[in-house]
Amino acid sequence: MTAVRFHHISLSVADLTAQEAWYGSAFGLTQVDERLELPDAGVRTVVLSDAAGLRVEFVERSGSSPAAPTDAFAATAVQTFTHLALQVPDLDAEFARLTGECRAAPVSPPAPGATGGMRYAYIADPEGNLLELIEVPRD
């Protein structure tokens, strides 16, 4: 079997410029790996990454409509990708920073996870995309 590894995730957004700025500020996604415009399709994209290799593609398509789940589990009512999960070193500090300084909407406050020592929380970016923050036990 060929070795497979994660490359990136793609989020459909209403305002490419605003989301690019927010994710740059919130998560350090400031390196532009590629940018593409397809005027005939009404599509603009940008792939952003950070120094550690996290890559997120943002796709803006004119006329798209939002899908904003009311809670972290409502997203599972439709069979599609439900959220972007990001591991953070200090869940409480990141949750506070993102919901305060970065004005992310709190969806679910920090809570114990299913695995011993793991904790999680959910927030929504400025357009309502669901993000899970995960803190794992330190070795």
Side-chain angles (χ1 to χ4, degrees), residues 59-77:
V59 180
E60 175 191 271
R61 182 173 185 168
S62 58
S64 67
S65 58
T70 55
D71 64 56
F73 300 105
T76 62

PDB file of all heavy atoms in Angstrom, residues 59-77:
ATOM      1  N   VAL A  59     -12.438  28.605  -0.567  1.00  0.00           N
ATOM      2  CA  VAL A  59     -13.043  28.740  -1.889  1.00  0.00           C
ATOM      3  C   VAL A  59     -14.246  29.662  -1.775  1.00  0.00           C
ATOM      4  O   VAL A  59     -15.166  29.406  -0.991  1.00  0.00           O
ATOM      5  CB  VAL A  59     -13.494  27.371  -2.448  1.00  0.00           C
ATOM      6  CG1 VAL A  59     -14.121  27.544  -3.823  1.00  0.00           C
ATOM      7  CG2 VAL A  59     -12.333  26.386  -2.493  1.00  0.00           C
ATOM      8  N   GLU A  60     -14.225  30.739  -2.546  1.00  0.00           N
ATOM      9  CA  GLU A  60     -15.347  31.679  -2.598  1.00  0.00           C
ATOM     10  C   GLU A  60     -16.031  31.500  -3.940  1.00  0.00           C
ATOM     11  O   GLU A  60     -15.375  31.561  -4.988  1.00  0.00           O
ATOM     12  CB  GLU A  60     -14.820  33.109  -2.462  1.00  0.00           C
ATOM     13  CG  GLU A  60     -15.896  34.173  -2.613  1.00  0.00           C
ATOM     14  CD  GLU A  60     -15.268  35.546  -2.736  1.00  0.00           C
ATOM     15  OE1 GLU A  60     -15.052  36.187  -1.693  1.00  0.00           O
ATOM     16  OE2 GLU A  60     -14.965  35.959  -3.885  1.00  0.00           O
ATOM     17  N   ARG A  61     -17.327  31.226  -3.902  1.00  0.00           N
ATOM     18  CA  ARG A  61     -18.100  31.092  -5.142  1.00  0.00           C
ATOM     19  C   ARG A  61     -19.300  32.017  -5.050  1.00  0.00           C
ATOM     20  O   ARG A  61     -20.084  31.930  -4.100  1.00  0.00           O
ATOM     21  CB  ARG A  61     -18.559  29.664  -5.362  1.00  0.00           C
ATOM     22  CG  ARG A  61     -19.315  29.511  -6.646  1.00  0.00           C
ATOM     23  CD  ARG A  61     -19.634  28.096  -6.964  1.00  0.00           C
ATOM     24  NE  ARG A  61     -20.253  28.044  -8.282  1.00  0.00           N
ATOM     25  CZ  ARG A  61     -20.446  26.953  -8.953  1.00  0.00           C
ATOM     26  NH1 ARG A  61     -20.061  25.798  -8.451  1.00  0.00           N
ATOM     27  NH2 ARG A  61     -21.019  26.983 -10.128  1.00  0.00           N
ATOM     28  N   SER A  62     -19.432  32.892  -6.025  1.00  0.00           N
ATOM     29  CA  SER A  62     -20.552  33.831  -5.986  1.00  0.00           C
ATOM     30  C   SER A  62     -21.865  33.052  -5.990  1.00  0.00           C
ATOM     31  O   SER A  62     -22.012  32.055  -6.681  1.00  0.00           O
ATOM     32  CB  SER A  62     -20.484  34.800  -7.168  1.00  0.00           C
ATOM     33  OG  SER A  62     -20.481  34.091  -8.387  1.00  0.00           O
ATOM     34  N   GLY A  63     -22.787  33.508  -5.138  1.00  0.00           N
ATOM     35  CA  GLY A  63     -24.090  32.860  -5.061  1.00  0.00           C
ATOM     36  C   GLY A  63     -24.160  31.685  -4.103  1.00  0.00           C
ATOM     37  O   GLY A  63     -25.218  31.080  -3.952  1.00  0.00           O
ATOM     38  N   SER A  64     -23.044  31.355  -3.446  1.00  0.00           N
ATOM     39  CA  SER A  64     -23.090  30.233  -2.503  1.00  0.00           C
ATOM     40  C   SER A  64     -23.928  30.617  -1.293  1.00  0.00           C
ATOM     41  O   SER A  64     -24.118  31.796  -0.997  1.00  0.00           O
ATOM     42  CB  SER A  64     -21.676  29.823  -2.074  1.00  0.00           C
ATOM     43  OG  SER A  64     -21.061  30.841  -1.312  1.00  0.00           O
ATOM     44  N   SER A  65     -24.431  29.615  -0.592  1.00  0.00           N
ATOM     45  CA  SER A  65     -25.236  29.901   0.596  1.00  0.00           C
ATOM     46  C   SER A  65     -24.625  29.214   1.811  1.00  0.00           C
ATOM     47  O   SER A  65     -24.029  28.146   1.693  1.00  0.00           O
ATOM     48  CB  SER A  65     -26.680  29.447   0.393  1.00  0.00           C
ATOM     49  OG  SER A  65     -26.719  28.066   0.108  1.00  0.00           O
ATOM     50  N   PRO A  66     -24.760  29.828   2.975  1.00  0.00           N
ATOM     51  CA  PRO A  66     -24.141  29.280   4.179  1.00  0.00           C
ATOM     52  C   PRO A  66     -24.891  28.068   4.727  1.00  0.00           C
ATOM     53  O   PRO A  66     -26.099  27.937   4.554  1.00  0.00           O
ATOM     54  CB  PRO A  66     -24.198  30.438   5.169  1.00  0.00           C
ATOM     55  CG  PRO A  66     -25.378  31.225   4.730  1.00  0.00           C
ATOM     56  CD  PRO A  66     -25.433  31.088   3.233  1.00  0.00           C
ATOM     57  N   ALA A  67     -24.150  27.207   5.385  1.00  0.00           N
ATOM     58  CA  ALA A  67     -24.713  26.097   6.154  1.00  0.00           C
ATOM     59  C   ALA A  67     -24.147  26.248   7.544  1.00  0.00           C
ATOM     60  O   ALA A  67     -23.010  25.884   7.805  1.00  0.00           O
ATOM     61  CB  ALA A  67     -24.312  24.760   5.553  1.00  0.00           C
ATOM     62  N   ALA A  68     -24.909  26.860   8.433  1.00  0.00           N
ATOM     63  CA  ALA A  68     -24.424  27.150   9.782  1.00  0.00           C
ATOM     64  C   ALA A  68     -25.171  26.284  10.794  1.00  0.00           C
ATOM     65  O   ALA A  68     -26.318  26.566  11.116  1.00  0.00           O
ATOM     66  CB  ALA A  68     -24.615  28.623  10.093  1.00  0.00           C
ATOM     67  N   PRO A  69     -24.512  25.226  11.286  1.00  0.00           N
ATOM     68  CA  PRO A  69     -25.172  24.384  12.286  1.00  0.00           C
ATOM     69  C   PRO A  69     -25.406  25.159  13.586  1.00  0.00           C
ATOM     70  O   PRO A  69     -24.623  26.017  13.948  1.00  0.00           O
ATOM     71  CB  PRO A  69     -24.189  23.237  12.500  1.00  0.00           C
ATOM     72  CG  PRO A  69     -22.892  23.719  11.973  1.00  0.00           C
ATOM     73  CD  PRO A  69     -23.180  24.785  10.968  1.00  0.00           C
ATOM     74  N   THR A  70     -26.496  24.832  14.247  1.00  0.00           N
ATOM     75  CA  THR A  70     -26.837  25.525  15.486  1.00  0.00           C
ATOM     76  C   THR A  70     -26.013  25.032  16.670  1.00  0.00           C
ATOM     77  O   THR A  70     -25.886  25.728  17.662  1.00  0.00           O
ATOM     78  CB  THR A  70     -28.327  25.336  15.814  1.00  0.00           C
ATOM     79  OG1 THR A  70     -28.608  23.924  15.838  1.00  0.00           O
ATOM     80  CG2 THR A  70     -29.197  26.009  14.770  1.00  0.00           C
ATOM     81  N   ASP A  71     -25.470  23.839  16.571  1.00  0.00           N
ATOM     82  CA  ASP A  71     -24.579  23.326  17.612  1.00  0.00           C
ATOM     83  C   ASP A  71     -23.616  22.327  16.980  1.00  0.00           C
ATOM     84  O   ASP A  71     -23.743  21.981  15.801  1.00  0.00           O
ATOM     85  CB  ASP A  71     -25.358  22.703  18.783  1.00  0.00           C
ATOM     86  CG  ASP A  71     -26.159  21.475  18.380  1.00  0.00           C
ATOM     87  OD1 ASP A  71     -25.577  20.513  17.837  1.00  0.00           O
ATOM     88  OD2 ASP A  71     -27.377  21.463  18.628  1.00  0.00           O
ATOM     89  N   ALA A  72     -22.668  21.860  17.765  1.00  0.00           N
ATOM     90  CA  ALA A  72     -21.615  21.000  17.235  1.00  0.00           C
ATOM     91  C   ALA A  72     -22.154  19.691  16.675  1.00  0.00           C
ATOM     92  O   ALA A  72     -21.558  19.099  15.789  1.00  0.00           O
ATOM     93  CB  ALA A  72     -20.588  20.713  18.327  1.00  0.00           C
ATOM     94  N   PHE A  73     -23.285  19.230  17.162  1.00  0.00           N
ATOM     95  CA  PHE A  73     -23.804  17.948  16.700  1.00  0.00           C
ATOM     96  C   PHE A  73     -24.831  18.099  15.588  1.00  0.00           C
ATOM     97  O   PHE A  73     -25.095  17.154  14.862  1.00  0.00           O
ATOM     98  CB  PHE A  73     -24.356  17.159  17.880  1.00  0.00           C
ATOM     99  CG  PHE A  73     -23.294  16.887  18.906  1.00  0.00           C
ATOM    100  CD1 PHE A  73     -23.260  17.592  20.091  1.00  0.00           C
ATOM    101  CD2 PHE A  73     -22.284  15.975  18.653  1.00  0.00           C
ATOM    102  CE1 PHE A  73     -22.253  17.377  21.020  1.00  0.00           C
ATOM    103  CE2 PHE A  73     -21.271  15.753  19.572  1.00  0.00           C
ATOM    104  CZ  PHE A  73     -21.262  16.450  20.753  1.00  0.00           C
ATOM    105  N   ALA A  74     -25.413  19.275  15.423  1.00  0.00           N
ATOM    106  CA  ALA A  74     -26.357  19.512  14.336  1.00  0.00           C
ATOM    107  C   ALA A  74     -25.675  19.371  12.981  1.00  0.00           C
ATOM    108  O   ALA A  74     -26.310  19.026  11.992  1.00  0.00           O
ATOM    109  CB  ALA A  74     -27.000  20.888  14.465  1.00  0.00           C
ATOM    110  N   ALA A  75     -24.378  19.618  12.929  1.00  0.00           N
ATOM    111  CA  ALA A  75     -23.633  19.494  11.677  1.00  0.00           C
ATOM    112  C   ALA A  75     -23.684  18.077  11.129  1.00  0.00           C
ATOM    113  O   ALA A  75     -23.547  17.863   9.933  1.00  0.00           O
ATOM    114  CB  ALA A  75     -22.175  19.914  11.884  1.00  0.00           C
ATOM    115  N   THR A  76     -23.910  17.097  11.991  1.00  0.00           N
ATOM    116  CA  THR A  76     -23.945  15.703  11.535  1.00  0.00           C
ATOM    117  C   THR A  76     -25.291  15.319  10.926  1.00  0.00           C
ATOM    118  O   THR A  76     -25.462  14.190  10.473  1.00  0.00           O
ATOM    119  CB  THR A  76     -23.615  14.747  12.698  1.00  0.00           C
ATOM    120  OG1 THR A  76     -24.604  14.902  13.721  1.00  0.00           O
ATOM    121  CG2 THR A  76     -22.237  15.015  13.256  1.00  0.00           C
ATOM    122  N   ALA A  77     -26.255  16.237  10.873  1.00  0.00           N
ATOM    123  CA  ALA A  77     -27.561  15.955  10.285  1.00  0.00           C
ATOM    124  C   ALA A  77     -27.476  15.844   8.763  1.00  0.00           C
ATOM    125  O   ALA A  77     -28.386  15.325   8.123  1.00  0.00           O
ATOM    126  CB  ALA A  77     -28.573  17.023  10.683  1.00  0.00           C
TER     127      ALA A  77
END
